[in-house]
Amino acid sequence: MGQLSNRIIAVLSESGFEEVELTEPVKRLKEEGATVHIISSKSGKIKAWDQDHWSIEVDVDKTISEANAEDYNGLLLPGGVINPDQLRVNEDALAFVKSFFADGKPVAAICHGPQTLINADVVQGRKLTSVKNISQDLINAGALWSDEEVVVDQGLVTSRTPKDLPAFNDKIVEEFAEGVHEGQHA
């Protein structure tokens, strides 16, 4: 049994996620025993982006309207340029994200993933990292941005790019295993 054998993790994504930023964390979470649900605005499949071209398709387990944040122990937001840009203007997705913060549950976001956190209004005063391209957006939203491979702030785990995935995956397993963090807030 893995560290996450009693955990159910939500992965919120749209088409246009960076392939390895979803597939590698999901693989690691499953290796640790977690049940993982891919959640998106539409049923069916979502399509990955791999550096400079469209790639694999991933099955959607539930739509945002079918999913209830109360059923999950943690949330993963993969990056990619297209995916977070769609999520950050989807009110249902933002409400879903906010629920995890309100309940103190761990949330992980990599690369451009933290863009969704800006629109969910949950970065004020929080220490985090991201791909450098959105660092100023996070700073303007009140985040304490730091250029590190992985940053953990009371259950909020962030990383910069796919090269940080080993450190990111280790930390998400640790934080999802710890569960609710009192300092995690909406």
Side-chain angles (χ1 to χ4, degrees):
M1 294 188 77
Q3 295 182 60
L4 302 176
S5 60
N6 60 345
R7 301 282 194 257
I8 304 173
I9 307 300
V11 178
L12 181 60
S13 186
E14 297 289 356
S15 285
F17 62 90
E18 186 65 39
E19 181 180 329
V20 295
E21 293 174 4
L22 184 145
T23 59
E24 289 301 309
V26 165
K27 177 182 171 193
R28 178 66 186 280
L29 292 169
K30 287 181 176 181
E31 286 172 355
E32 293 292 342
T35 299
V36 179
H37 291 166
I38 306 298
I39 299 169
S40 192
S41 61
K42 296 181 182 109
S43 60
K45 295 180 182 292
I46 53 175
K47 194 167 202 147
W49 186 258
D50 185 8
Q51 299 177 36
D52 61 359
H53 63 278
W54 291 104
S55 64
I56 65 168
E57 290 186 332
V58 174
D59 290 326
V60 172
D61 295 301
K62 291 186 177 192
T63 63
I64 297 167
S65 61
E66 295 168 333
N68 183 340
E70 292 177 7
D71 297 335
Y72 297 95
N73 302 105
L75 173 65
L76 171 65
L77 298 169
V81 176
I82 300 166
N83 165 45
D85 198 52
Q86 292 180 53
L87 288 174
R88 69 183 180 161
V89 296
N90 180 320
E91 292 301 322
D92 292 335
L94 296 176
F96 188 73
V97 170
K98 285 180 188 181
S99 294
F100 284 85
F101 284 86
D103 294 339
K105 295 178 182 176
V107 174
I110 187 167
C111 200
H112 286 80
Q115 281 184 312
T116 304
L117 302 178
I118 292 170
N119 286 37
D121 198 26
V122 294
V123 300
Q124 177 74 38
R126 302 300 295 272
K127 186 176 181 201
L128 56 124
T129 193
S130 67
V131 65
K132 192 146 179 92
N133 304 34
I134 66 167
S135 62
Q136 194 60 51
D137 298 330
L138 287 160
I139 292 166
N140 290 344
L144 307 170
W145 190 85
S146 180
D147 188 12
E148 300 174 57
E149 70 178 352
V150 65
V151 174
V152 180
D153 180 353
Q154 294 292 322
L156 174 59
V157 182
T158 52
S159 277
R160 301 171 300 193
T161 66
K163 71 179 172 65
D164 299 326
L165 278 166
F168 180 70
N169 289 343
D170 287 347
K171 282 298 181 186
I172 66 173
V173 168
E174 181 181 324
E175 296 301 309
F176 289 159
E178 287 177 8
V180 172
H181 290 69
E182 288 184 27
Q184 179 78 297
H185 53 81

